[in-house]
Short mmCIF file of all heavy atoms in Angstrom, two decimals:
data_model
loop_
_atom_site.label_atom_id
_atom_site.label_comp_id
_atom_site.label_asym_id
_atom_site.label_seq_id
_atom_site.Cartn_x
_atom_site.Cartn_y
_atom_site.Cartn_z
N ALA C 45 -6.30 -8.50 -7.71
CA ALA C 45 -6.54 -9.47 -6.67
C ALA C 45 -5.70 -9.25 -5.47
O ALA C 45 -6.04 -9.61 -4.30
CB ALA C 45 -6.40 -10.85 -7.20
N ARG C 46 -4.51 -8.73 -5.65
CA ARG C 46 -3.55 -8.45 -4.54
C ARG C 46 -3.76 -7.11 -3.78
O ARG C 46 -3.17 -6.92 -2.61
CB ARG C 46 -2.12 -8.39 -5.06
CG ARG C 46 -1.57 -9.79 -5.47
CD ARG C 46 -0.19 -9.76 -6.02
NE ARG C 46 0.34 -8.48 -6.34
CZ ARG C 46 1.50 -7.95 -5.87
NH1 ARG C 46 2.13 -8.66 -4.94
NH2 ARG C 46 1.93 -6.78 -6.19
N GLY C 47 -4.54 -6.21 -4.37
CA GLY C 47 -4.90 -4.94 -3.71
C GLY C 47 -4.95 -3.96 -4.79
O GLY C 47 -5.15 -4.12 -5.97
N LEU C 48 -4.80 -2.63 -4.36
CA LEU C 48 -4.90 -1.49 -5.18
C LEU C 48 -3.51 -1.01 -5.54
O LEU C 48 -2.70 -0.56 -4.77
CB LEU C 48 -5.60 -0.36 -4.52
CG LEU C 48 -5.91 0.88 -5.36
CD1 LEU C 48 -6.84 0.58 -6.51
CD2 LEU C 48 -6.51 1.93 -4.46
N VAL C 49 -3.12 -1.36 -6.80
CA VAL C 49 -1.82 -0.98 -7.29
C VAL C 49 -1.89 0.53 -7.76
O VAL C 49 -2.64 0.89 -8.65
CB VAL C 49 -1.34 -1.78 -8.57
CG1 VAL C 49 0.01 -1.41 -9.00
CG2 VAL C 49 -1.43 -3.33 -8.04
N VAL C 50 -0.92 1.38 -7.12
CA VAL C 50 -1.05 2.85 -7.35
C VAL C 50 0.27 3.14 -7.85
O VAL C 50 1.34 2.85 -7.45
CB VAL C 50 -1.22 3.65 -6.10
CG1 VAL C 50 -1.43 5.10 -6.42
CG2 VAL C 50 -2.57 3.08 -5.37
N ARG C 51 0.35 3.90 -9.07
CA ARG C 51 1.52 4.47 -9.69
C ARG C 51 1.49 6.01 -9.86
O ARG C 51 0.53 6.55 -10.25
CB ARG C 51 1.73 3.70 -11.05
CG ARG C 51 2.01 2.29 -10.89
CD ARG C 51 2.19 1.67 -12.30
NE ARG C 51 2.47 0.25 -12.23
CZ ARG C 51 1.40 -0.66 -12.27
NH1 ARG C 51 0.17 -0.33 -12.30
NH2 ARG C 51 1.80 -1.98 -12.11
N ASN C 52 2.63 6.57 -9.64
CA ASN C 52 2.88 7.90 -9.91
C ASN C 52 3.85 8.00 -11.02
O ASN C 52 5.17 7.97 -10.77
CB ASN C 52 3.27 8.81 -8.78
CG ASN C 52 3.46 10.22 -9.04
OD1 ASN C 52 3.34 10.69 -10.20
ND2 ASN C 52 3.84 11.06 -7.97
N TYR C 53 3.38 8.09 -12.22
CA TYR C 53 4.39 8.20 -13.35
C TYR C 53 5.27 9.40 -13.52
O TYR C 53 6.15 9.53 -14.29
CB TYR C 53 3.67 8.02 -14.74
CG TYR C 53 3.03 6.58 -14.80
CD1 TYR C 53 1.71 6.41 -14.83
CD2 TYR C 53 3.81 5.48 -15.11
CE1 TYR C 53 1.12 5.13 -14.96
CE2 TYR C 53 3.31 4.22 -15.22
CZ TYR C 53 1.97 4.10 -15.11
OH TYR C 53 1.45 2.80 -15.13
N HIS C 54 4.99 10.44 -12.62
CA HIS C 54 5.72 11.68 -12.64
C HIS C 54 6.87 11.65 -11.52
O HIS C 54 7.53 12.61 -11.34
CB HIS C 54 4.79 12.85 -12.38
CG HIS C 54 3.73 12.93 -13.42
ND1 HIS C 54 3.98 13.22 -14.83
CD2 HIS C 54 2.47 12.67 -13.42
CE1 HIS C 54 2.93 13.21 -15.46
NE2 HIS C 54 1.92 12.85 -14.76
N ALA C 55 6.91 10.53 -10.81
CA ALA C 55 7.95 10.46 -9.75
C ALA C 55 8.86 9.19 -9.97
O ALA C 55 8.32 8.16 -10.36
CB ALA C 55 7.30 10.34 -8.42
N PRO C 56 10.16 9.34 -9.81
CA PRO C 56 11.05 8.20 -10.07
C PRO C 56 10.81 7.11 -9.10
O PRO C 56 10.43 7.25 -7.89
CB PRO C 56 12.49 8.91 -9.81
CG PRO C 56 12.18 10.10 -8.93
CD PRO C 56 10.87 10.58 -9.16
N GLY C 57 11.04 5.83 -9.59
CA GLY C 57 10.89 4.70 -8.79
C GLY C 57 12.17 4.40 -8.05
O GLY C 57 13.22 5.20 -8.11
N CYS C 58 12.23 3.24 -7.63
CA CYS C 58 13.48 2.81 -6.79
C CYS C 58 14.53 2.16 -7.69
O CYS C 58 15.68 2.12 -7.25
CB CYS C 58 13.00 1.74 -5.77
SG CYS C 58 12.43 0.18 -6.34
N CYS C 59 14.14 1.60 -8.85
CA CYS C 59 15.19 0.72 -9.59
C CYS C 59 14.69 0.49 -11.00
O CYS C 59 13.59 0.93 -11.38
CB CYS C 59 15.36 -0.55 -8.87
SG CYS C 59 13.75 -1.46 -8.52
N ILE C 60 15.35 -0.25 -11.73
CA ILE C 60 14.98 -0.55 -13.10
C ILE C 60 13.72 -1.26 -13.24
O ILE C 60 12.89 -0.98 -14.03
CB ILE C 60 16.18 -1.37 -13.83
CG1 ILE C 60 17.43 -0.49 -14.02
CG2 ILE C 60 15.67 -1.88 -15.24
CD1 ILE C 60 18.62 -1.29 -14.47
N ASP C 61 13.47 -2.21 -12.33
CA ASP C 61 12.24 -3.01 -12.30
C ASP C 61 10.98 -2.12 -11.90
O ASP C 61 9.83 -2.42 -12.29
CB ASP C 61 12.28 -4.15 -11.37
CG ASP C 61 13.20 -5.26 -11.87
OD1 ASP C 61 13.51 -5.35 -13.10
OD2 ASP C 61 13.74 -5.92 -11.00
N ASN C 62 11.23 -1.04 -11.25
CA ASN C 62 10.20 -0.05 -10.86
C ASN C 62 10.51 1.37 -11.20
O ASN C 62 10.99 2.13 -10.35
CB ASN C 62 9.90 -0.20 -9.35
CG ASN C 62 9.32 -1.56 -8.86
OD1 ASN C 62 8.26 -1.98 -9.35
ND2 ASN C 62 10.15 -2.25 -8.07
N PRO C 63 10.32 1.62 -12.49
CA PRO C 63 10.81 2.98 -12.93
C PRO C 63 10.05 4.24 -12.37
O PRO C 63 10.49 5.32 -12.61
CB PRO C 63 10.81 2.96 -14.40
CG PRO C 63 9.56 1.83 -14.65
CD PRO C 63 9.68 0.87 -13.47
N CYS C 64 8.87 3.94 -11.82
CA CYS C 64 8.09 5.09 -11.27
C CYS C 64 7.66 4.74 -9.79
O CYS C 64 7.67 3.60 -9.51
CB CYS C 64 6.85 5.39 -12.11
SG CYS C 64 5.56 4.04 -12.09
N ALA C 65 7.33 5.77 -9.04
CA ALA C 65 6.97 5.60 -7.71
C ALA C 65 5.62 4.72 -7.73
O ALA C 65 4.70 5.05 -8.45
CB ALA C 65 6.62 6.78 -6.96
N ALA C 66 5.53 3.62 -6.92
CA ALA C 66 4.36 2.80 -6.87
C ALA C 66 4.31 2.15 -5.62
O ALA C 66 5.19 1.99 -4.87
CB ALA C 66 4.52 1.82 -8.09
N ASP C 67 3.01 1.66 -5.31
CA ASP C 67 2.80 0.90 -4.08
C ASP C 67 1.51 -0.04 -4.34
O ASP C 67 0.71 0.34 -5.29
CB ASP C 67 2.60 1.64 -2.87
CG ASP C 67 2.74 0.98 -1.55
OD1 ASP C 67 3.13 -0.23 -1.61
OD2 ASP C 67 2.46 1.50 -0.52
N THR C 68 1.28 -1.00 -3.52
CA THR C 68 0.12 -1.88 -3.62
C THR C 68 -0.59 -1.67 -2.19
O THR C 68 0.05 -2.12 -1.18
CB THR C 68 0.40 -3.37 -3.89
OG1 THR C 68 0.98 -3.29 -5.12
CG2 THR C 68 -0.87 -4.10 -3.88
N ILE C 69 -1.68 -1.08 -2.20
CA ILE C 69 -2.45 -0.77 -1.03
C ILE C 69 -3.44 -1.87 -0.78
O ILE C 69 -4.04 -2.43 -1.67
CB ILE C 69 -3.31 0.53 -1.15
CG1 ILE C 69 -2.40 1.62 -1.61
CG2 ILE C 69 -4.09 0.81 0.16
CD1 ILE C 69 -1.23 2.08 -0.67
N THR C 70 -3.52 -2.38 0.52
CA THR C 70 -4.46 -3.29 0.91
C THR C 70 -5.39 -2.72 1.98
O THR C 70 -5.15 -1.68 2.58
CB THR C 70 -3.73 -4.62 1.47
OG1 THR C 70 -2.97 -4.24 2.56
CG2 THR C 70 -3.04 -5.30 0.41
N CYS C 71 -6.51 -3.42 2.27
CA CYS C 71 -7.46 -3.06 3.19
C CYS C 71 -7.89 -4.20 4.12
O CYS C 71 -8.24 -5.22 3.50
CB CYS C 71 -8.75 -2.44 2.54
SG CYS C 71 -9.97 -1.75 3.81
N ARG C 72 -7.64 -4.09 5.31
CA ARG C 72 -7.96 -5.21 6.25
C ARG C 72 -8.21 -4.77 7.55
O ARG C 72 -7.81 -3.58 7.97
CB ARG C 72 -6.89 -6.22 6.20
CG ARG C 72 -5.57 -5.77 6.60
CD ARG C 72 -4.54 -6.92 6.50
NE ARG C 72 -3.22 -6.58 7.01
CZ ARG C 72 -2.21 -6.05 6.42
NH1 ARG C 72 -2.31 -5.65 5.17
NH2 ARG C 72 -1.12 -5.65 7.00
N PRO C 73 -8.75 -5.56 8.45
CA PRO C 73 -8.93 -5.16 9.99
C PRO C 73 -7.61 -4.87 10.60
O PRO C 73 -6.61 -5.60 10.45
CB PRO C 73 -9.66 -6.40 10.53
CG PRO C 73 -10.27 -7.08 9.42
CD PRO C 73 -9.29 -6.91 8.23
N ARG C 74 -7.56 -3.85 11.42
CA ARG C 74 -6.44 -3.58 12.28
C ARG C 74 -6.87 -4.07 13.74
O ARG C 74 -7.69 -3.50 14.36
CB ARG C 74 -6.29 -2.08 12.35
CG ARG C 74 -4.91 -1.73 13.11
CD ARG C 74 -4.58 -0.35 12.86
NE ARG C 74 -3.39 -0.07 13.73
CZ ARG C 74 -2.75 1.12 13.71
NH1 ARG C 74 -3.20 2.09 12.97
NH2 ARG C 74 -1.71 1.24 14.51
N HIS C 75 -6.15 -5.06 14.14
CA HIS C 75 -6.55 -5.74 15.42
C HIS C 75 -6.27 -4.89 16.62
O HIS C 75 -7.04 -5.10 17.56
CB HIS C 75 -5.80 -7.12 15.53
CG HIS C 75 -6.00 -8.00 14.41
ND1 HIS C 75 -7.29 -8.52 14.09
CD2 HIS C 75 -5.18 -8.46 13.34
CE1 HIS C 75 -7.23 -9.29 12.96
NE2 HIS C 75 -5.96 -9.32 12.55
N ASP C 76 -5.40 -3.99 16.62
CA ASP C 76 -5.07 -3.11 17.75
C ASP C 76 -6.10 -1.93 17.67
O ASP C 76 -5.88 -1.02 18.57
CB ASP C 76 -3.69 -2.72 17.86
CG ASP C 76 -3.16 -1.86 16.67
OD1 ASP C 76 -3.85 -1.69 15.73
OD2 ASP C 76 -2.07 -1.29 16.89
N ASP C 77 -7.04 -1.85 16.81
CA ASP C 77 -7.96 -0.72 16.76
C ASP C 77 -9.45 -1.35 16.57
O ASP C 77 -10.17 -0.91 15.78
CB ASP C 77 -7.65 0.14 15.54
CG ASP C 77 -8.41 1.51 15.51
OD1 ASP C 77 -8.77 1.91 16.67
OD2 ASP C 77 -8.76 1.90 14.43
N GLY C 78 -9.73 -2.30 17.39
CA GLY C 78 -10.99 -2.88 17.34
C GLY C 78 -11.49 -3.65 16.10
O GLY C 78 -12.66 -3.67 15.83
N ASP C 79 -10.48 -4.04 15.35
CA ASP C 79 -10.67 -4.69 14.02
C ASP C 79 -11.42 -3.85 13.08
O ASP C 79 -12.02 -4.27 12.12
CB ASP C 79 -11.49 -6.01 14.32
CG ASP C 79 -10.65 -7.10 14.72
OD1 ASP C 79 -9.37 -7.00 14.66
OD2 ASP C 79 -11.21 -8.03 15.37
N ARG C 80 -11.26 -2.44 13.15
CA ARG C 80 -11.81 -1.50 12.21
C ARG C 80 -10.92 -1.82 10.91
O ARG C 80 -9.72 -2.03 10.98
CB ARG C 80 -11.83 -0.17 12.63
CG ARG C 80 -12.91 0.17 13.73
CD ARG C 80 -13.00 1.64 14.01
NE ARG C 80 -11.90 2.09 14.70
CZ ARG C 80 -12.02 2.76 15.91
NH1 ARG C 80 -13.19 2.87 16.40
NH2 ARG C 80 -10.90 3.09 16.55
N LEU C 81 -11.52 -1.49 9.84
CA LEU C 81 -10.77 -1.66 8.51
C LEU C 81 -9.83 -0.45 8.39
O LEU C 81 -10.11 0.74 8.70
CB LEU C 81 -11.73 -1.55 7.27
CG LEU C 81 -12.60 -2.82 7.19
CD1 LEU C 81 -13.50 -2.60 6.01
CD2 LEU C 81 -11.74 -4.04 6.96
N TRP C 82 -8.56 -0.73 7.92
CA TRP C 82 -7.57 0.22 7.77
C TRP C 82 -6.89 -0.04 6.29
O TRP C 82 -6.88 -1.19 5.93
CB TRP C 82 -6.44 0.13 8.75
CG TRP C 82 -6.73 0.93 10.09
CD1 TRP C 82 -7.74 0.68 10.96
CD2 TRP C 82 -6.08 2.09 10.51
NE1 TRP C 82 -7.66 1.57 11.97
CE2 TRP C 82 -6.66 2.50 11.70
CE3 TRP C 82 -4.95 2.73 10.03
CZ2 TRP C 82 -6.32 3.66 12.37
CZ3 TRP C 82 -4.62 3.95 10.71
CH2 TRP C 82 -5.31 4.27 11.91
N PHE C 83 -6.31 1.01 5.75
CA PHE C 83 -5.52 0.81 4.62
C PHE C 83 -4.06 0.65 5.05
O PHE C 83 -3.59 1.21 6.05
CB PHE C 83 -5.53 2.03 3.71
CG PHE C 83 -6.95 2.35 3.17
CD1 PHE C 83 -7.62 3.53 3.38
CD2 PHE C 83 -7.51 1.31 2.20
CE1 PHE C 83 -8.90 3.72 2.78
CE2 PHE C 83 -8.70 1.61 1.63
CZ PHE C 83 -9.38 2.73 2.03
N TYR C 84 -3.38 -0.33 4.37
CA TYR C 84 -1.96 -0.66 4.61
C TYR C 84 -1.12 -0.44 3.38
O TYR C 84 -1.57 -0.73 2.19
CB TYR C 84 -1.86 -2.02 5.02
CG TYR C 84 -2.34 -2.31 6.53
CD1 TYR C 84 -3.75 -2.49 6.62
CD2 TYR C 84 -1.53 -2.49 7.50
CE1 TYR C 84 -4.27 -2.75 7.91
CE2 TYR C 84 -1.96 -2.70 8.82
CZ TYR C 84 -3.33 -2.92 9.04
OH TYR C 84 -3.74 -3.12 10.21
N THR C 85 0.17 -0.06 3.53
CA THR C 85 1.04 0.00 2.41
C THR C 85 1.59 -1.35 2.18
O THR C 85 1.30 -2.32 2.99
CB THR C 85 2.35 0.95 2.87
OG1 THR C 85 3.02 0.28 3.91
CG2 THR C 85 1.90 2.35 3.21
N SER C 86 2.35 -1.55 1.12
CA SER C 86 2.88 -2.82 0.86
C SER C 86 3.89 -3.41 1.91
O SER C 86 4.25 -4.49 1.90
CB SER C 86 3.50 -2.90 -0.55
OG SER C 86 4.58 -1.95 -0.58
N TRP C 87 4.39 -2.49 2.65
CA TRP C 87 5.37 -2.84 3.71
C TRP C 87 4.54 -2.96 5.05
O TRP C 87 5.22 -2.79 6.16
CB TRP C 87 6.57 -1.89 3.77
CG TRP C 87 6.26 -0.54 4.07
CD1 TRP C 87 6.37 0.08 5.25
CD2 TRP C 87 6.04 0.51 3.14
NE1 TRP C 87 6.04 1.45 5.21
CE2 TRP C 87 5.89 1.75 3.83
CE3 TRP C 87 5.92 0.61 1.69
CZ2 TRP C 87 5.60 3.01 3.27
CZ3 TRP C 87 5.56 1.77 1.09
CH2 TRP C 87 5.44 2.97 1.90
N ASN C 88 3.27 -3.18 5.10
CA ASN C 88 2.46 -3.39 6.20
C ASN C 88 2.29 -2.23 7.15
O ASN C 88 2.13 -2.38 8.31
CB ASN C 88 2.73 -4.66 6.99
CG ASN C 88 2.31 -5.83 6.24
OD1 ASN C 88 1.30 -5.92 5.69
ND2 ASN C 88 3.20 -6.91 6.31
N HIS C 89 2.49 -1.00 6.66
CA HIS C 89 2.32 0.12 7.47
C HIS C 89 0.90 0.66 7.36
O HIS C 89 0.39 1.00 6.31
CB HIS C 89 3.29 1.33 6.94
CG HIS C 89 3.09 2.55 7.74
ND1 HIS C 89 3.74 2.78 9.04
CD2 HIS C 89 2.46 3.73 7.52
CE1 HIS C 89 3.45 3.92 9.40
NE2 HIS C 89 2.63 4.52 8.59
#
C-alpha cells in the first residue's frame, strides 16, 4: 500500500534494522514535468 518495496539481499544495508540494501519506490505525477508520472525513491528523488 505504501509503494514498491525493493530489496537486494546481496548488498549490505545501512544498519541493524535494514540488513540489506532496500528502498520503497512510489509513482506519482511530477508537477514540474507537466504532471507526467514519475518513479520516486523513498527520499523523494
